[in-house]
Amino acid sequence: MAATTKRRPASKAKARPRKKPAPRKKASNDTMTWLKDRGPQFLGLFASLLAVLAIAKVGLVGKFIANMVRLIVGGSYQFCYWSYSCHFSWCLPMASGHDVLSGNIMLALAYFI
């Protein structure tokens, strides 16, 4: 029989600490943030269109809105709609948040109104 030799115990290598996986980011809903950012613009556009329809009394919707505001405001309902239309068309570019661009748009609106 062959002589058996005793094996030396293997030196233990220092174990590296296990890395924890990086926390997962929550998936952002880009559609909702897009609508949230542009909601005031759509509201202003919708209100401006309704005001134009009511001033011109175009279609069933325009006549209905004009009569409802005439019932509340009185004979000066067209002036009320012009002021609403100017206000919403003024606020429409300001809701975008682009200060440089909105200044030029404001000048153009002031020129045409």
Side-chain angles (χ1 to χ4, degrees):
M1 285 203 138
T4 60
T5 58
K6 240 181 176 182
R7 287 181 84 182
R8 284 188 337 180
S11 63
K12 290 186 177 181
K14 290 186 179 179
R16 287 189 296 171
R18 289 190 159 212
K19 289 185 179 179
K20 293 181 181 178
R24 293 186 182 188
K25 294 180 181 178
K26 290 184 179 180
S28 65
N29 194 350
D30 293 336
T31 305
M32 290 305 293
T33 57
W34 188 85
L35 285 175
K36 191 177 185 182
D37 292 340
R38 285 159 183 83
Q41 289 177 328
F42 287 124
L43 182 64
L45 182 64
F46 182 70
S48 296
L49 289 176
L50 283 181
V52 168
L53 287 176
I55 289 170
K57 293 184 188 174
V58 177
L60 185 64
V61 174
K63 288 180 183 178
F64 175 74
I65 294 171
N67 286 333
M68 289 297 112
V69 172
R70 185 185 301 165
L71 185 69
I72 295 170
V73 176
S76 62
Y77 74 99
Q78 285 184 335
F79 175 74
C80 179
Y81 272 124
W82 278 112
S83 64
Y84 283 149
S85 178
C86 290
H87 173 71
F88 284 121
S89 63
W90 184 269
C91 291
L92 194 60
M94 293 305 282
S96 68
H98 301 293
D99 293 333
V100 175
L101 182 63
S102 62
N104 293 335
I105 292 173
M106 301 312 275
L107 289 174
L109 284 175
Y111 179 73
F112 287 113
I113 292 176

